Each structure stands twice: as structure tokens, then as C-alpha cells.
Amino acid sequence: MATVPDASGNNRVVDQSLDDDFFAITPSDTVVLPVVTDGIHVAVSGDVTFYNRHNVLKKLTGAVAGWHPIRTNRIMATGTTATGISGMVNAGQRS
């Protein structure tokens, strides 16, 4: 567990099950992540539907397994077929 600032500067507790700089993301149409990611990692290829940092809905079609420089605070369940998604947070954003 770690405390990280969200987009409003409020501290949120995040379960960082992978590493200090990474956390697992469960796609959800309603839950906003506690922090804007600097990137995401996809373990199993597929589509990723997300809101970008300007709150515009986007879809990365056929995202291959690996790293993607996506700044987002929400990965949608609807339209997302990729699995094993993790968020990366710059260490400087954590407290």
C-alpha cells in the first residue's frame, strides 16, 4: 500500500501489488483511479478503452502486450479486452 496524490492533490491509498512504481488496474466504467498514470502495461494483448488526461474517451485497438505511454485515470471495462493491465506512476508523484 502507498499513499499517492490524485489529480486534485488529495492523498489516496493505492494497493501497489507489483512494485513501488506500479499498481494493478481493474478496468471499471465507474471507478476513477486515485492517480493519473504515466503509462500502462498490458500483459495480454487486446483493446484498451480509457479516458485520457483531458477527459476524452479513447480506444487503443489491438494494444500489444507491453508498455504504452497512456496518461489516464480510468480504464473502462466496456470496450477493454486486454488483460493484466498495470499502471505506472512516476516516483516523484508519490508521497
Side-chain angles (χ1 to χ4, degrees):
M1 300 294 252
T3 303
V4 294
D6 64 15
S8 301
N10 300 314
N11 286 331
R12 304 282 188 207
V13 176
V14 175
D15 178 7
Q16 294 182 311
S17 58
L18 299 178
D19 191 282
D20 288 340
D21 298 330
F22 307 98
F23 59 97
I25 295 175
T26 301
S28 171
D29 292 341
T30 58
V31 176
V32 176
L33 298 173
V35 64
V36 174
T37 63
D38 289 316
I40 65 167
H41 183 269
V42 172
V44 179
S45 300
D47 297 342
V48 179
T49 303
F50 63 97
Y51 279 92
N52 69 11
R53 63 187 179 142
H54 302 292
N55 206 32
V56 176
L57 187 64
K58 298 285 186 175
K59 184 172 191 172
L60 181 59
T61 303
V64 297
W67 291 103
H68 301 275
I70 294 174
R71 293 184 49 80
T72 183
N73 67 351
R74 189 182 331 173
I75 303 285
M76 303 294 289
T78 301
T80 296
T81 59
T83 60
I85 301 172
S86 302
M88 178 183 74
V89 178
N90 183 313
Q93 291 185 21
R94 296 190 325 264
S95 44

